[in-house]
Amino acid sequence: AMQPERGAIPLGPLFARLAADFAPQAATRGLALRVVPTQWSVDSDPVLLERILRNLLANALRYTRSGGVVLGTRRSGATLRIDVVDTGIGIGPSDRERIFDEFVQVGTGARHDAGRGMGLGLSIVRRLCALLDHPLALASNPGRGSRFSVTLPRVAQHRRRPQAPTRE
């Protein structure tokens, strides 16, 4: 029922907004939040892409006890990979597929935040990525952290040329 409204999205302002919104939560938890500035633009739906990144950042901060979280990009040909990397609890091989199911949370007990969500964030991320045709990938090491990656079409950079002064 949802129809994406795709267009060119400059990531710089989006990343700055996410950094401002998540910095207090990271600071309260004693974590470092690093958002790598970028000038790239991607082809996506701005509302849905922001929802994807907010869910990934919220999870990364929720399941990281020490260290921090990084939001950054990697360019590869005509695509750009957005990474959310954490030094959190990590995800074991047997749980890597099921964490994307609704109402699933891996691990229990003191290792997790008492205020954790309902287990919907990653299922929403997967559905939105599928809707937008943005491949989603996970790399993780239990006890060392995780990297969630979303690959998007990169929009060509149009650099403005300085205008020569005009003579009147």
Side-chain angles (χ1 to χ4, degrees):
M2 187 180 297
Q3 291 297 320
E5 295 184 24
R6 294 177 75 120
I9 303 168
L11 292 178
L14 172 58
F15 279 24
R17 189 167 55 252
L18 292 169
D21 290 351
F22 282 94
Q25 181 182 351
T28 298
R29 297 181 52 87
L31 301 171
L33 173 62
R34 181 169 177 243
V35 177
V36 181
T38 183
Q39 301 227 350
W40 293 110
S41 294
V42 294
D43 177 37
S44 189
D45 179 292
V47 173
L48 300 181
L49 178 59
E50 184 166 342
R51 178 80 183 265
I52 289 167
L53 297 178
R54 283 185 178 282
N55 283 349
L56 292 175
L57 285 167
N59 270 7
L61 289 168
R62 182 176 293 127
Y63 292 104
T64 300
R65 291 185 299 170
S66 64
V69 175
V70 176
L71 171 65
T73 61
R74 295 234 183 244
R75 181 177 60 123
S76 177
T79 64
L80 195 73
R81 189 182 82 199
I82 300 176
D83 292 330
V84 176
V85 182
D86 66 58
T87 58
I89 63 171
I91 301 158
S94 64
D95 291 323
R96 289 189 190 146
E97 190 54 37
R98 69 184 204 97
I99 61 163
F100 294 103
D101 293 340
E102 292 179 347
F103 305 111
V104 171
Q105 296 177 329
V106 296
T108 57
R111 291 170 44 167
H112 291 94
D113 197 14
R116 65 182 193 246
M118 296 178 60
L120 293 172
L122 291 178
S123 67
I124 291 169
V125 166
R126 180 167 62 179
R127 286 183 182 182
L128 292 178
C129 284
L131 179 66
L132 294 165
D133 196 26
H134 298 337
L136 175 64
L138 166 64
S140 188
N141 290 311
R144 299 189 62 183
S146 301
R147 180 186 73 222
F148 287 86
S149 302
V150 179
T151 302
L152 305 96
R154 185 171 52 86
V155 174
Q157 300 283 71
H158 297 317
R159 302 210 187 277
R160 291 184 182 173
R161 292 184 185 168
Q163 292 183 337
T166 57
R167 293 187 184 166
E168 294 185 26

